[in-house]
Amino acid sequence: MQAGQTGHYVLSTIHTIDSIEVITRLKKMGVSNYDISSTLATSVSQRLVRKVCPNCSVERDFNEKEIEIIRKIGNKYGIEFDLNGKKTYTTKGCKECNNTGYYGRIGIFEILMVTDEIKELIAKDASSLEIKAAALKQTYRPLIIDGIEKVLKGITTIDELDRKLAIF
Ligand SMILES: [Zn+2]
C-alpha cells in the first residue's frame, strides 16, 4: 500500500472469496478507508475450474435443473443468458482424463474497477453489499457470470461450477 501511495504500479495477491472482499480484507489488515480508496485501482478475482475431457465427454441438452439454475443466476444479476441451441456435456471418464471426466483447467474471473463512485463508497466505509450493488451497475460481473458463460461455451459444467462456487 505504501509503494502504491507514492505512485508505483503494484501487483499483489490476497486470498479472499471475491474481488470486493479485498476491500474488507485490507481494512482488517489496518489500512484506512482513505488509503484504500486512494490507492486501490483494480481488484481481480480468479478461480480455477476443470474443463470437460474432449476425449470422453458426450454432448447433450441442458436438463431442466440446469436451465433453472442458469435462469435464476441470470435473474439475480439482470442478465438474460441465451440458451438457444446451447449444449452441455455428460462427463464419463477415460484413460486420458484419469477417469475424472475432466482434462485441464481454466480460470474464471471477475474484475472490480475502483471507479470514482466506488472510491467514494470505500471512503464512506460502505459495506461490501453496497459496494457490490454499485459495482454491478458499472462493469463488474461476478465470478459466477463468467462461469456460466464458460458452461454455455461447453468448456466446463454446472456441476463443476457448483463444486467451486457452491451455486446450488
Ligand atoms: Zn476423458
Side-chain angles (χ1 to χ4, degrees):
M1 291 304 284
Q2 282 169 352
Q5 277 162 4
T6 55
H8 293 279
Y9 182 60
V10 181
L11 293 170
S12 180
T13 62
I14 188 165
H15 288 106
T16 62
I17 60 158
D18 64 26
S19 59
I20 290 170
E21 287 304 320
V22 166
I23 296 161
T24 313
R25 176 61 63 83
L26 288 171
K27 282 185 199 178
K28 283 195 177 145
M29 288 166 74
V31 184
S32 73
N33 290 331
Y34 173 79
D35 285 343
I36 298 169
S37 75
S38 62
T39 308
L40 185 66
T42 308
S43 163
V44 179
S45 181
Q46 77 156 21
R47 213 58 61 83
L48 289 171
V49 294
R50 294 177 301 167
K51 298 192 287 181
V52 296
C53 174
N55 191 49
C56 64
S57 54
V58 179
E59 196 183 73
R60 64 166 170 84
D61 290 324
F62 282 96
N63 63 36
E64 261 175 51
K65 193 183 167 202
E66 289 165 333
I67 292 171
E68 197 194 314
I69 290 164
I70 294 168
R71 294 258 181 261
K72 228 168 144 182
I73 291 164
N75 287 341
K76 187 172 173 189
Y77 297 108
I79 294 163
E80 204 175 318
F81 291 111
D82 182 13
L83 289 164
N84 229 335
K86 298 280 166 37
K87 302 278 184 190
T88 189
Y89 294 89
T90 296
T91 55
K92 292 208 156 164
C94 66
K95 249 187 174 173
E96 299 284 316
C97 62
N98 254 331
N99 271 319
T100 59
Y102 293 90
Y103 192 86
R105 297 195 288 174
I106 191 169
I108 55 174
F109 303 93
E110 65 171 40
I111 303 165
L112 173 72
M113 302 294 291
V114 185
T115 59
D116 288 347
E117 194 186 346
I118 304 292
K119 281 181 197 296
E120 249 174 62
L121 285 169
I122 297 169
K124 282 195 293 194
D125 202 32
S127 68
S128 301
L129 279 176
E130 288 171 282
I131 292 168
K132 193 169 189 176
L136 280 166
K137 287 183 190 146
Q138 302 179 359
T139 54
Y140 170 78
R141 294 291 168 272
L143 275 173
I144 185 69
I145 299 298
D146 191 34
I148 296 286
E149 278 164 2
K150 282 172 174 138
V151 169
L152 295 178
K153 283 180 185 157
I155 298 168
T156 189
T157 63
I158 289 284
D159 280 349
E160 175 65 4
L161 278 192
D162 185 46
R163 208 177 65 89
K164 278 308 178 73
L165 298 172
I167 57 176
F168 292 170

